[in-house]
Amino acid sequence: MTTHSLSGKIAVIIGGTGGIGFAAGRALADLGASVVLTGRDAARTAKTVEGLSAGNHMAAYAEVADSASLRKLAADVQHHYGRVDILVNTSGFTRAIPHGDLDALDDDLIDELFAVNWRGQFAAIRAFAPALRSSGAGLVVNVGSIAGRTGQGSNVAYCAAKAGLDVMAMSLGRALAPEIRVLNVSPGVVDTAFVPGRDSTFNERAAKTTPLRRIGHADDVADAIVACATSLRFATGTTIVVDGGRQLG
């Protein structure tokens, strides 16, 4: 019988001040987990943690593109709680660039996109793997995007990085089993400020071309992350799509 209580579990949300990160942290906290929200702005992160339900939560600094800061984060969390059970990678970055504008996607931007959207997720898993392995039932959830499947997204490099997360789930799902499960949650268009320049007009157009006739909310993605930690305990190495059917169109 599956229990939905996460009492006693420690969950780390990389990028916990973002829309999806906070929604995931709030959902996990509501089920009894102690939640660590990370961000680059100490005051903002501390304020965000105050929005979680009562519990032994923590605000922490982390820069996803800086492996040293992720190693320090892992050490600090281990020292504070003595364990880590769940790692959720929600950090990301993008910029809207037409796919045909090859010159606009220069080398520096490509490197930054991969550092934040792929390398950082791998580095976080690498840093937390010993603690997750010691848990005996560790879980990693990376937030990807259907851009990695459709090749349609804010720019070509972003699509490629998100496709890389799908492959990472397969590779690490195999390599880290059975002590650690690795899953991706792959949303479509979500009503957050993640992509600069997208406004209500864009969202309305996207809703009309999505089979379920709306765009996603951060809570939709959080619900899928919770399912990874509760209901889907026999799943690893795969990607769960929560896009309202958008990739079908």
Side-chain angles (χ1 to χ4, degrees):
M1 180 177 177
T2 300
T3 175
H4 286 180
S5 173
L6 295 175
S7 179
K9 301 292 187 181
I10 310 300
V12 178
I13 316 293
I14 308 292
T17 61
I20 291 174
F22 174 67
R26 182 176 56 195
L28 294 170
D30 286 348
L31 290 176
S34 295
V35 174
V36 180
L37 297 184
T38 80
R40 292 181 293 176
D41 182 319
R44 180 186 176 193
T45 308
K47 185 69 174 177
T48 304
V49 168
E50 292 176 3
L52 301 178
S53 55
N56 183 20
H57 309 308
M58 175 180 169
Y61 169 82
E63 170 56 66
V64 70
D66 180 0
S67 294
S69 86
L70 295 171
R71 289 193 296 270
K72 183 179 185 304
L73 171 68
D76 289 347
V77 174
Q78 180 69 23
H79 177 76
H80 186 81
Y81 293 104
R83 64 182 294 149
V84 181
D85 303 283
I86 301 168
L87 172 66
V88 183
N89 281 309
T90 72
S91 287
F93 153 77
T94 195
R95 185 181 303 165
I97 297 175
H99 287 205
D101 191 350
L102 306 187
D103 292 330
L105 193 60
D106 60 36
D107 290 351
D108 288 343
L109 181 56
I110 291 170
D111 290 348
E112 184 179 7
L113 285 161
F114 271 87
V116 174
N117 293 296
W118 193 92
R119 191 190 74 197
Q121 285 70 23
F122 180 84
I125 297 167
R126 182 174 58 198
F128 279 94
L132 291 167
R133 190 173 288 114
S134 294
S135 166
L139 170 66
V140 174
V141 183
N142 295 320
V143 176
S145 170
I146 62 166
R149 292 169 170 242
T150 65
Q152 296 177 310
S154 50
N155 62 68
V156 173
Y158 177 79
C159 293
K162 292 301 187 180
L165 287 182
D166 289 351
V167 174
M168 186 196 296
M170 290 188 284
S171 297
L172 294 186
R174 181 184 301 112
L176 301 182
E179 294 89 357
I180 304 172
R181 296 186 298 118
V182 182
L183 292 165
N184 281 359
V185 169
S186 185
V189 178
V190 181
D191 189 14
T192 68
F194 176 69
V195 181
R198 286 187 176 175
D199 55 15
S200 59
T201 301
F202 175 90
N203 290 344
E204 289 168 5
R205 289 200 308 269
K208 290 177 181 177
T209 55
T210 298
L212 295 189
R213 292 297 186 268
R214 69 171 177 87
I215 63 171
H217 303 300
D219 286 341
D220 294 320
V221 186
D223 287 345
I225 293 169
V226 166
C228 292
T230 56
S231 304
L232 302 179
R233 293 182 177 177
F234 197 54
T236 194
T238 192
T239 296
I240 298 154
V241 178
V242 282
D243 69 343
R246 185 165 180 79
Q247 69 171 336
L248 304 174

